[in-house]
Amino acid sequence: MLRTLLNQTSLTIAGLMSGTSLDGIDVAIVHIEGRGADTNIKLLHFESLPFEDEMREKLKLLCTIEHSDVAQVCGMNFAIGQRFADAVIHTAAAANMSMADIDLISSHGQTIWHIPTADETDLFLPKSTLQIGDLSVIAKQTGRPVVGDFRTADMAVGGQGAPLVPYGDYLLFKDANKGRILQNIGGIGNCTAIPAGASGISAFDTGPGNMIMDQVVYELSEGRKSYDANGDWAAEGKVDMELLESMLAHPYFQEPPPKTTGRELFGKGYAAAWLASALERGLPHEDIVATATAFTAHSIARGYQDFIFPQSDIAEVIISGGGAHNRTLLNMLGELLPNQTILTSDELGISADAKEAMLFALLGNSFIQGEPNNIPAATGAVRPTIMGKLALP
């Protein structure tokens, strides 16, 4: 099986993505031809399979020091690996494909904890990261080879293990004449700046994407809603500028790239403390949701203004991820970025929902082809490297 896989010039790959938003599992089945800059990708089928509330809340607790333990991490590593396997099997059936039609599965895994910089006070807390969803479980349950655990390889050569999507952003969206920013808005926001001609790529995490908004909506609705559909609730409110400025004073936003973040800084604890302060101010619920939405928009725009616009002429900002459906958020970005055209990746023929899962399929393809698939300028790695590990069925 492995020898056949390595000798193929085109592959059908199922890309798996489960992000920091913890909303579910995305599966993109794609056909890929070529390698490196000559790679071509076609989306064959996409499914997004939401987590039920119990799974989502268990994962949120797992991503905290206070409410996690080694037994829970150990068990969930296998439990969510089984979920990933089931998701691929379901998506193949929905696409009228057999598992034998899929050459490879490429899985991001579920991030539980991420330490992008070493703790200088503790020898045993170096740069490190943990994504669960055991690769062997996926491989044995699906009968297909699986590539995953990409981030650790970048960290092993001095990087922060993120962002990883710039590799695929470059392959899919480089333009000879236009400078572009690819902005994914999942649980965390991450951007890739590609100047015209694709010289001098830069990338970093802009800060919270949907993470704070979703948690606030969940709490204010007493669990009836997990997100603000279309940004409708935020559209009814008014942004509290004083509270917004206090949020934007967080030290993360002043740090220069390369930089990454996640639930370690902006998770459930941060959201709970912020929500408590907003309620103490007597803000109506709609104003709280509007301010949380503005936090994401302003942190993205300030990241560009501080770290991208001084070096690059950018014509377009291309949005993907769940945040692409939040019209209020997109309208806020449009007001903050009047000199750039704001559009979604759908408008360029790449599904905003499927894009990240497609990009992880590309990372899996590059692994099989023996091609380096990190971008040192984005992660801070000292050299290009081949990221990924292989599990056989």
Side-chain angles (χ1 to χ4, degrees), residues 66-89:
E66 298 82 5
H67 300 102
S68 185
D69 62 55
V70 290
Q72 291 290 331
V73 173
C74 184
M76 189 64 83
N77 181 41
F78 271 55
I80 202 163
Q82 183 66 57
R83 288 294 187 93
F84 288 154
D86 293 342
V88 175
I89 293 168

Side-chain angles (χ1 to χ4, degrees), residues 10-40:
S10 64
L11 294 171
T12 298
I13 302 178
L16 273 169
M17 180 67 199
S18 177
T20 50
S21 59
L22 303 178
D23 48 4
I25 303 169
D26 293 338
V27 186
I29 299 178
V30 300
H31 183 74
I32 298 179
E33 294 184 353
R35 58 194 291 179
D38 297 322
T39 304
N40 292 303

Side-chain angles (χ1 to χ4, degrees), residues 100-316:
D101 294 325
I102 295 174
D103 299 305
L104 181 71
I105 297 168
S106 182
S107 176
H108 169 270
Q110 180 63 62
T111 299
I112 293 302
W113 202 251
H114 188 67
I115 306 175
T117 56
D119 185 339
E120 296 180 0
T121 67
D122 190 336
L123 181 65
F124 300 105
L125 286 176
K127 281 185 182 181
S128 49
T129 190
L130 180 62
Q131 284 74 45
I132 63 171
D134 189 80
L135 303 182
S136 289
V137 171
I138 305 171
K140 303 302 179 184
Q141 293 300 313
T142 61
R144 311 313 299 158
V146 181
V147 176
D149 202 15
F150 295 98
R151 298 186 186 277
T152 52
D154 181 78
M155 285 191 151
V157 292
Q160 292 198 359
L164 299 189
V165 295
Y167 177 80
D169 285 339
Y170 166 77
L171 293 179
L172 295 178
F173 295 100
K174 62 184 183 295
D175 190 279
N177 303 309
K178 294 178 184 176
R180 287 172 160 173
I181 293 174
L182 284 303
Q183 178 71 50
N184 182 68
I185 306 176
I188 289 294
N190 55 276
C191 69
T192 304
I194 309 176
S199 60
I201 294 173
S202 62
F204 56 92
D205 285 353
T206 52
N210 301 315
M211 188 179 293
I212 306 300
M213 291 185 282
D214 288 353
Q215 187 64 31
V216 164
V217 166
Y218 181 81
E219 296 293 343
L220 292 178
S221 69
E222 298 180 340
R224 291 188 299 275
K225 298 179 180 180
S226 59
Y227 67 100
D228 182 16
N230 303 314
D232 290 343
W233 203 357
E236 297 173 1
K238 180 180 179 181
V239 176
D240 185 302
M241 294 305 298
E242 183 178 346
L243 187 56
L244 173 62
E245 287 299 329
S246 71
M247 298 168 79
L248 292 168
H250 192 287
Y252 179 78
F253 302 114
Q254 281 73 54
E255 293 177 18
K259 60 178 180 176
T260 59
T261 190
R263 288 189 174 272
E264 304 76 35
L265 285 185
F266 297 108
K268 193 171 183 178
Y270 176 92
W274 179 79
L275 178 57
S277 67
L279 290 170
E280 286 174 9
R281 292 170 69 88
L283 296 182
H285 289 184
E286 61 270 21
D287 289 5
I288 295 174
V289 179
T291 304
T293 305
F295 180 35
T296 294
H298 280 256
S299 61
I300 289 170
R302 288 196 183 185
Y304 298 171
Q305 290 155 0
D306 291 344
F307 305 119
I308 296 177
F309 292 162
Q311 285 80 38
S312 303
D313 183 18
I314 299 297
E316 295 178 340

